[in-house]
Amino acid sequence: MSKNSERRAKYELVYLQKSDGKLETINKKKRKEANAPTASQLDQTPDSKGVIDYYRLVEIGDDKEVEWRRKLGGMLKREIGEAEHRDQNWIIAHMPENYRLYEHVRFTKSDETGEAIKSSNTHAKGHNDRQDAYLYGHPLGRKKRYRSPADFFHHLLWLVMDDSSDPDNCTCKICAPDDIQCPDLFPELLKETNKEPLKKEAVTASSPAKAQSSAGANPMVVVPVHPNAQGKQTKSPAQAGKATQAPAINAPARGTTPMLVQTPLEAAKSEEQKADAQYGKFVFRLGETVWFNKDPAWGLSVIINRGIFKDSQGRERARYQVQPLSYPFEHQESQIRTDDNLRPWLAWSAPPPYHMGLRQKGFHYANIDWRAVVEGKFGDGDPEVDGSIFAARAIDESITLLGLLSSNNQIVTTGERLYNGVYFGGEKFWVGDPVRLRSTQGPDLMVVHRIVERLKNNSTSTASATISVVGDIYLFTTVPYNPSSVQPSMTHLPLRMRREIDFQNRILQSFHKTTICKLTQTQSRIPIVDVKGRWYEPSTLLPILEGMDVFHDNLRHGIIRDTGPMMNARLQEGHTLAAGQAGKRFLSREETLGAAVPKGTKVANPSEALPFVEQEPPLAGEGSQGGAQVQGQGQVDEMAQFMNLEGIGDSMGESAYGGQIWGDGQQ
């Protein structure tokens, strides 16, 4: 053997510290069953045609078992290895505890010779019709098995990297199943696209058997030793020979370029924050400004409560109580709307005031003489519509910090206060949320890890304080599919981002494309004014903006549009803030809303959520819960037509998302 071949054959052992594997599970009939192939599947008795079709346990040290461990070790090294590990080959020392590999064997036995009839298909174990391997052990039971090392890798990465051991953080195909990705997706579409990866990973090392024997000569312990999947204890480093301790993964050698490491997410600190972090539950948040459908016109409102209802098809969906914005002397009552009858505030640009006299610069909600407006001194128009426009602009200029996290000692020492969330203009985001950035031209997102208010020296005034956000920056994009590459780690991404990436890749794999989220900067600190707004996952927002039929048709063609270019940035044209000013500070959302809503209006707490109902909420144009009737088609006046943004979007065709009215995205 040449020196190069011998060098390639040496592997460093990686010991696994924990496992979620189960040897037994409880089935739907509440009975225990082995987390393995059934007795009939293990039976090697030939059928009437001489076909033997069975599963066999792959023993430790078998070529196929070693091949799985070698591939998993290689993917693990590429994912978490440092520059100093570049010349090493990794192999996991054992499968996670209680995970066992089984091989599905199928061949035909000759009646004359009693031996297997050779098939044209050649496998490592001989000429069989079929010889696939499956990894059993997932806690959901024997039907939830992994078909390949690549299939299992994201679950392995979760076991290694996630200190919380929360299965919601795992992005493997079992822990993140199809049925929670997009509840309205056509079943036949999933059937068409949910296929195996296009190509298997190429094998570049020397034979697995030799790799195993070489690995034991001088093992490197990357993670503490743990019993293997077959129930037998793997040799410890002391038993295997003199061990070399691996350097800490987060301490690269001097002179090398350090590998970027994701910042772990902190646990949610409130029930509302937990609800907002869930995928597909609530698109819109308490206290946010939204457009609401008045049939056929659209108006501006604020969400004051929300809850869940069951629709006519038995699906649980969100419903929202919205309070229309208005001028100080007249207000509509609150109304109930569903997701499809709402739009994010930043999805459209507000039109100019209808009263010609209010189109001059310098007017804002608080300094307008609304009695003079009602008396017609600013020209013809609808005070309610113009009141809602100016109110929404005023909210867009506001900032309210939520959930003080810092102790008094931290404030005295650093001059900084840390917060858990913020009303950022018409939107709300939390620590742990992804946000869109104004300072970049590409599809970059920041996962926020800190919201920081810095006080000026020797001052406790919030008026002169600066607000910034600190977080990891990612490139969220779609690239050509490369079967030999491992997708960037998603371990510390927010759940909504992980679910979105998994959903998109289930669709795109059949089109030779894949969506990735690549870490480009860690712990970056930027002024909060450089945030455009919060990020909406395409699979939940596109059906609302485009319509479900268009969304499904695009999916069939492998098209999933980025929602970023469809959305405006906060602080649209005409705002009254000074250059670089983050916003006007308010202590609460109610203070921000002021006279634009009825006196006494409160934004509800999660404990005061709308009660669960098993009926459809009233549709736009059919009245509302305790509210007045919305104008019918025959009563729509000129101003309602002017506010008919849906019609404007339709008339603009394909350019609707890039126009001045609908989705004038600011870069």
Side-chain angles (χ1 to χ4, degrees), residues 394-595:
I395 295 169
D396 192 47
E397 296 178 0
S398 71
I399 281 186
T400 299
L401 295 173
L402 305 170
L404 180 64
L405 301 177
S406 306
S407 67
N408 289 331
N409 290 337
Q410 287 175 306
I411 297 171
V412 172
T413 303
T414 66
E416 294 184 344
R417 294 187 177 113
L418 302 182
Y419 291 84
N420 192 40
V422 60
Y423 278 118
F424 187 60
E427 297 182 323
K428 175 194 285 183
F429 67 82
W430 304 97
V431 168
D433 269 339
V435 295
R436 299 177 293 125
L437 301 182
R438 189 190 299 270
S439 56
T440 59
Q441 297 299 317
D444 287 353
L445 303 175
M446 171 183 277
V447 175
V448 177
H449 290 282
R450 284 187 293 161
I451 300 172
V452 184
E453 175 192 44
R454 185 168 185 81
L455 305 175
K456 283 193 173 181
N457 291 337
N458 303 318
S459 174
T460 58
S461 171
T462 60
S464 59
T466 59
I467 304 173
S468 57
V469 290
V470 180
D472 292 355
I473 297 178
Y474 294 86
L475 174 66
F476 190 97
T477 187
T478 298
V479 298
Y481 175 71
N482 183 352
S484 63
S485 65
V486 178
Q487 192 178 76
S489 173
M490 298 194 293
T491 303
H492 296 303
L493 290 180
L495 177 63
R496 290 170 41 230
M497 291 181 71
R498 297 198 307 271
R499 293 288 190 257
E500 179 63 28
I501 292 170
D502 188 69
F503 163 76
Q504 292 196 16
N505 285 337
R506 291 171 192 269
I507 300 297
L508 297 176
Q509 63 181 351
S510 296
F511 299 91
H512 302 265
K513 295 185 291 186
T514 184
T515 295
I516 64 170
C517 196
K518 182 180 180 181
L519 180 63
T520 59
Q521 297 182 50
T522 60
Q523 292 298 292
S524 178
R525 183 166 182 155
I526 63 172
I528 197 169
V529 73
D530 284 343
V531 173
K532 286 183 177 179
R534 69 182 182 93
W535 176 77
Y536 297 81
E537 50 268 49
S539 61
T540 59
L541 188 60
L542 288 179
I544 296 174
L545 295 184
E546 298 181 329
M548 191 60 74
D549 291 342
V550 173
F551 177 63
H552 282 157
D553 186 62
N554 283 339
L555 291 184
R556 287 196 174 90
H557 293 87
I559 300 172
I560 304 177
R561 301 178 65 179
D562 180 13
T563 55
M566 300 181 182
M567 305 291 288
N568 288 313
R570 174 181 173 258
L571 298 181
Q572 301 177 28
E573 184 179 356
H575 70 80
T576 62
L577 297 179
Q581 185 180 357
K584 298 175 182 177
R585 296 285 299 273
F586 292 89
L587 295 177
S588 68
R589 200 55 161 178
E590 288 76 14
E591 182 186 10
T592 306
L593 298 174

Side-chain angles (χ1 to χ4, degrees), residues 197-270:
L198 299 175
K199 294 182 181 179
K200 293 185 178 179
E201 181 185 350
V203 178
T204 58
S206 54
S207 70
K210 292 180 180 178
Q212 185 197 32
S213 62
S214 299
N218 189 22
M220 176 176 288
V221 181
V222 177
V223 188
V225 66
H226 202 74
N228 60 44
Q230 312 292 8
K232 301 177 183 179
Q233 182 71 33
T234 304
K235 288 184 179 181
S236 69
Q239 294 168 325
K242 187 177 180 180
T244 303
Q245 182 68 33
I249 286 178
N250 59 356
R254 185 174 298 175
T256 62
T257 302
M259 178 179 293
L260 295 177
V261 178
Q262 293 177 310
T263 305
L265 293 170
E266 294 186 4
K269 294 178 172 58
S270 71

Side-chain angles (χ1 to χ4, degrees), residues 68 130 133-135 145-149 151-152 196:
W68 270 63
R130 181 168 186 170
Y134 300 91
L135 187 64
R145 59 189 186 177
Y146 296 98
R147 299 171 179 267
S148 67
D151 211 20
F152 179 60
E196 291 297 310

